[in-house]
Amino acid sequence: MTWAGSYRAAPAVAAYAAATSYTVNKATGTVAGDLILLWCVGAPLFTCPGFTGYATSAFLGTILLARTADGTEGSSFTVASGSSTIATIIQATIAGPASIDAVGTNPGSAGTTMTATGVTVAGSNELQLWFGADEKIAAPYQGYPITVPTGFTSQATYNSGSSAGLAALLADNGSVVSGATGSIAAGAALPASSNWAAQMVAIASPVAVTATDTGTGVDAATVVAKAAAADTGTWVDSATVKVQEPATDTGAGVDAASVVAKAPATDASSAGLDAAAIAVTVASSD
């Protein structure tokens, strides 16, 4: 199953001169409910009001900043750093409703092989994002181009050519299979020893439900979703699954909305994971 969501706008990347704060313009068309991601490269301790930070890397100070748009975020974001430094920032805005399912660790190293540690993806309808950054260890400290990992598609990329700078890449895979992804390396080694960092993120979007417009009355559709749960080692392991529910009748076509449903499970033997499946009938107003 492939990812049914979409980007609100094409992901973008920008390089900034040395400073302690950087202005990032909000993606055109962003609306309440969209998921806004900023992957920042440069000095550690990047922060931005209203955003949550995930896993800072000691190499290149990379960090994922994320928030859900609610209409109060303004037309631009001010990202602050812990010290004056050049920076490169990737912005990706996912059309909502969308949420972060899993964030990988943010490792880094010095060398030519750039590898992001794996994540465990809950569903097969998710979007897998791969972020990478590098800077050559020796003068002129340029950022080398990063080769897209096998099976991924480039969405935003920057390298500094022969000048000092911080290279960055965002690539994605919309056909990820649920479960552990394993570590994923860039498509080729860097041309010379560099400081690098790489990170993967899994994005969950609503399950696509297709109903046929009958032209009258309520059009029903059924989706069967399986809830992923964590093994507690005892009793019943519960989980949550997001599907679509009825919406307000617009008077034309099929109207969709969202609901969160919880699937009960049966305690098998007080050991291991108790998986639960939930079948939900989705009615949409014609």
Side-chain angles (χ1 to χ4, degrees):
M1 185 174 181
T2 57
W3 181 55
S6 62
Y7 292 101
R8 179 62 66 189
V13 59
Y16 297 84
T20 57
S21 65
Y22 320 90
T23 299
V24 180
N25 292 324
K26 184 170 67 175
T28 301
T30 300
V31 298
D34 289 352
L35 179 63
I36 304 170
L37 306 177
L38 303 178
W39 201 68
C40 306
V41 186
L45 303 177
F46 282 110
T47 59
C48 187
F51 284 74
T52 299
Y54 296 85
T56 300
S57 173
F59 285 81
L60 303 183
T62 56
I63 185 173
L64 174 69
L65 302 176
R67 71 166 291 163
T68 298
D70 59 9
T72 67
E73 61 275 358
S75 61
S76 64
F77 316 117
T78 301
V79 177
S81 64
S83 59
S84 181
T85 180
I86 59 173
T88 299
I89 299 176
I90 295 174
Q91 178 180 194
T93 301
I94 313 297
S99 60
I100 294 176
D101 171 39
V103 178
T105 57
N106 198 349
S109 185
T112 59
T113 303
M114 180 185 299
T115 304
T117 56
V119 295
T120 299
V121 179
S124 58
N125 63 310
E126 299 193 5
L127 178 68
Q128 185 179 5
L129 302 178
W130 191 98
F131 295 96
D134 74 71
E135 181 186 41
K136 185 182 177 184
I137 291 175
Y141 306 103
Q142 69 263 43
Y144 285 119
I146 303 168
T147 304
V148 179
T150 301
F152 284 71
T153 300
S154 176
Q155 294 296 339
T157 186
Y158 169 78
N159 69 84
S160 65
S162 60
S163 303
L166 301 163
L169 168 71
L170 165 60
D172 67 12
N173 177 2
S175 300
V176 62
V177 178
S178 60
T181 64
S183 297
I184 296 179
L190 298 172
S193 188
S194 301
N195 287 324
W196 61 262
Q199 184 176 32
M200 285 195 291
V201 181
I203 304 297
S205 295
V207 176
V209 181
T210 302
T212 301
D213 182 16
T214 62
T216 179
V218 173
D219 306 310
T222 300
V223 60
V224 178
K226 193 163 186 178
D231 180 15
T232 62
T234 180
W235 303 113
V236 175
D237 306 311
S238 61
T240 299
V241 61
K242 293 181 179 179
V243 295
Q244 289 190 335
E245 72 162 3
T248 303
D249 183 11
T250 63
V254 175
D255 308 306
S258 297
V259 66
V260 176
K262 195 161 188 179
T266 302
D267 182 19
S269 60
S270 297
L273 175 62
D274 303 315
I278 180 171
V280 180
T281 297
V282 181
S284 295
S285 300
D286 176 37

